[in-house]
């Protein structure tokens, strides 16, 4: 059973606790859908001021991302490499931190409420496995500290994919 924890520390301490929770939640489990589902639920209860948290999975043979486990409104299912924020993260293999999605060329609006976004690529043996995508209804919701800790979160998750 998952016990709700109050994140009372500094932002860094809270993120460190979150990553420990993730490791505990995934320990001994290798099912990808189960682990991605729990990772999205864990992030959703941790992060304030977000309206969508989830994963897109890279399909090499189709050269596109396909929607994976998430929390939020129903979303667009397929995103080609290089398209939108998610497709750019795949093409560049780099985290995309977008303060204003309306200023991002080619941004794909799945939820009209989204104003800012962070997308972190997931890698497996150096190749893109998918992306973690988080949307916020506030502009400039994510900063370099979120980027640093969400990348650490993803590094832990990758050990269980
Ligand atoms: N905004 C993303 C699409 C996915 S939704 O935000 C869930 C993009 O531009 O790639």
């Amino acid at each position: 059973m998952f016990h709700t924890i109050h994140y009372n520390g500094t932002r860094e301490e809270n993120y460190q606790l979150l990553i420990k929770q993730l490791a505990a939640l995934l320990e001994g489990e290798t099912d990808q859908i189960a682990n991605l589902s729990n990772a999205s639920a864990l992030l959703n209860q941790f992060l304030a001021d977000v309206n969508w948290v989830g994963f897109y999975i890279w399909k090499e043979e189709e050269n596109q991302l396909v929607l994976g486990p998430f929390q939020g409104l129903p979303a667009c299912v397929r995103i080609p490499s290089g398209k939108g924020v998610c497709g750019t993260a795949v093409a560049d293999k780099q985290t995309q931190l977008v303060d204003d999605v309306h200023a991002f060329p080619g941004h794909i609006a799945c939820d009209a409420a989204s104003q800012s976004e962070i997308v972190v690529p997931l890698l497996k043996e150096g190749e893109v496995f998918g992306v973690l995508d988080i949307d916020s209804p506030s502009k400039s919701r994510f900063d370099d500290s979120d980027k640093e800790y969400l990348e650490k979160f993803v590094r832990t998750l990758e050990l269980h994919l």
Side-chain angles (χ1 to χ4, degrees):
M1 186 191 289
F2 182 78
H3 297 280
T4 306
I5 289 183
H6 297 287
Y7 302 98
N8 293 325
T10 64
R11 198 145 71 113
E12 283 69 23
E13 287 167 347
N14 292 344
Y15 261 122
Q16 281 160 3
L17 176 57
L18 178 81
I19 291 166
K20 277 190 189 162
Q21 285 182 293
L22 178 71
L25 203 53
L26 305 188
E27 194 186 343
E29 182 54 70
T30 56
D31 187 273
Q32 290 179 348
I33 291 177
N35 287 344
L36 293 169
S37 300
N38 268 338
S40 66
L42 184 68
L43 274 173
N44 195 48
Q45 58 85 49
F46 172 78
L47 293 168
D49 197 25
V50 300
N51 58 307
W52 203 91
V53 182
F55 297 94
Y56 282 87
I57 312 301
W58 178 246
K59 305 285 178 182
E60 181 68 33
E61 62 286 0
E62 302 173 31
N63 200 42
Q64 62 184 346
L65 290 161
V66 176
L67 184 63
F70 69 96
Q71 308 263 310
L73 289 179
C76 34
V77 174
R78 293 172 186 275
I79 302 176
S81 174
K83 299 283 180 201
V85 186
C86 292
T88 302
V90 169
D92 294 358
K93 282 195 192 175
Q94 296 287 334
T95 296
Q96 306 294 309
L97 205 157
V98 182
D99 287 336
D100 178 359
V101 295
H102 304 293
F104 190 96
H107 166 254
I108 301 162
C110 293
D111 181 343
S114 299
Q115 298 292 328
S116 62
E117 180 164 2
I118 186 166
V119 178
V120 183
L122 278 75
L123 305 176
K124 221 179 153 183
E125 289 154 15
E127 300 299 319
V128 174
F129 171 87
V131 299
L132 166 64
D133 180 14
I134 308 174
D135 288 16
S136 168
S138 300
K139 285 203 168 72
S140 304
R141 159 64 180 82
F142 308 101
D143 62 15
D144 285 339
S145 170
D146 293 301
K147 175 177 181 290
E148 178 188 343
Y149 282 101
L150 290 169
E151 286 176 346
K152 287 184 178 162
F153 183 95
V154 158
R155 297 290 88 81
T156 298
L157 176 58
E158 286 166 353
L159 302 174
H160 300 274
L161 294 176

